[in-house]
Amino acid sequence: MAAKQQRIGSGFGAQSTAEEVLTGVDLWGRTALVTGGYSGLGLETTRALTRAGAHVIVPARRRATAEETLRDVPGTEVHELDLADLESVRVFSGRILETGRTLDIVIAGAGIMACPETRVGPAWEAHFATNHLGHFALVNRLRPALAPGRARVVSVSSAGHFLSPIRWDDLHFRTGYDGWLAYAQSKTANALFAVHLDTLGAADGLRSFAVHPGSILTPLQRHVPRAEQIAQGWIDAEGRPAAGFKTPAQGAATAIWAATSPLLDAHGGAYCQDCDIAEPATTDDMLIGGVKPWAVDADEAARLWELSAELTGVDAYS
Ligand SMILES: NC(=O)c1ccc[n+]([C@@H]2O[C@H](COP(=O)([O-])OP(=O)(O)OC[C@H]3O[C@@H](n4cnc5c(N)ncnc54)[C@H](OP(=O)(O)O)[C@@H]3O)[C@@H](O)[C@H]2O)c1
């Protein structure tokens, strides 16, 4: 059964930063893996987790850039990983498993948004393949390393999920490609992944959550022309973010809270925003947020899991 989408009063909110939600949290001796942990929200996440004492593994499709970016962040290590390439996922996961280490936290944050139509692997649509299938294969392959009884997996979704449920009849946009709808579907998939992983992972004591980080200017918007960003009201003519946008440190807070807060122990599978469990969406306004029913539906989640296992050939829970 899907988690109840009801606020629990965490004491944090939209303005809380990664640093604030980690106040008094000791992650010494803990290991985290943060995909995309060298850019935007992921970089803030990596910095905050290491400051709290965690060792952070950062898989990167641009290894040299990641190494350069993280040079002054102690307690990090970079490995090569392209989530759009399942062979790369297999090789990376094998390397981590070989070391015999356990992972306490996985933050599946890497992603692409509103890209021109791109095909990867067997002509899969790139948002679905990268944002969802790559992370699906990664977490399943890493199951033996997930710390029994305490591991948390946080899937970074988005209010972008408002625009599309899973398109069961045309997952890969064989017709009518639209970059925003492709992103939306992949973000619904991220949320559903957390729902079913939490169900299956219960036997290992694993908890999984999905989060909407808020709206934050990062390199994610690289495919959105400046004029469109102004027209959408995201930035003004000088490039300053609109009211309601978060800083990267605020944007990283919800995923870190979901990865560490004991308040969530009994709420696995929940979709969170602003450092709390999100309520069901009552409007289509993504800045207000909340969660649409198709992103937390247990039957949809189970169906997506089965299909993803079939497509990737990986299912650690079968
Ligand atoms: N920013 C927002 O307003 C916002 C709102 C809602 C949700 N989100 C979600 O938050 C997450 C982080 O976004 P962000 O804003 O921090 O964007 P970002 O700065 O562009 O970071 C995305 C990261 O994903 C990595 N990545 C992309 N494709 C990959 C692949 N095939 N294999 C491995 N890594 C790959 C990127 O690597 P490269 O740097 O090498 O390209 C980058 O490190 C995303 O999942 C996004 O959907 C963001």
Side-chain angles (χ1 to χ4, degrees), residues 36 38-42 61-62 81-84 109-112 130 156-158 183 187 212-216 218-222:
Y38 59 105
S39 177
L41 309 181
R61 69 171 166 175
R62 292 183 302 142
L81 169 67
D82 181 354
L83 285 161
I112 52 172
T130 306
V156 183
S157 177
S158 168
Y183 178 67
K187 293 290 129 179
H212 167 53
S215 301
I216 308 98
T218 68
L220 187 71
Q221 292 91 20
R222 63 172 77 95

Side-chain angles (χ1 to χ4, degrees), residues 156-236:
V156 183
S157 177
S158 168
H161 81 266
F162 276 33
L163 296 178
S164 180
I166 299 298
R167 299 157 45 97
W168 296 111
D169 54 346
D170 189 15
L171 276 180
H172 293 291
F173 288 82
R174 299 299 172 208
T175 56
Y177 180 76
D178 177 309
W180 283 114
L181 294 182
Y183 178 67
Q185 170 177 248
S186 75
K187 293 290 129 179
T188 290
N190 288 158
L192 291 173
F193 172 63
V195 170
H196 204 62
L197 177 62
D198 191 78
T199 302
L200 297 176
D204 301 336
L206 174 136
R207 298 261 74 157
S208 184
F209 304 93
V211 304
H212 167 53
S215 301
I216 308 98
L217 293 183
T218 68
L220 187 71
Q221 292 91 20
R222 63 172 77 95
H223 296 293
V224 186
R226 191 181 167 85
E228 188 180 334
Q229 295 192 41
I230 294 172
Q232 292 279 353
W234 299 351
I235 55 171
D236 64 18

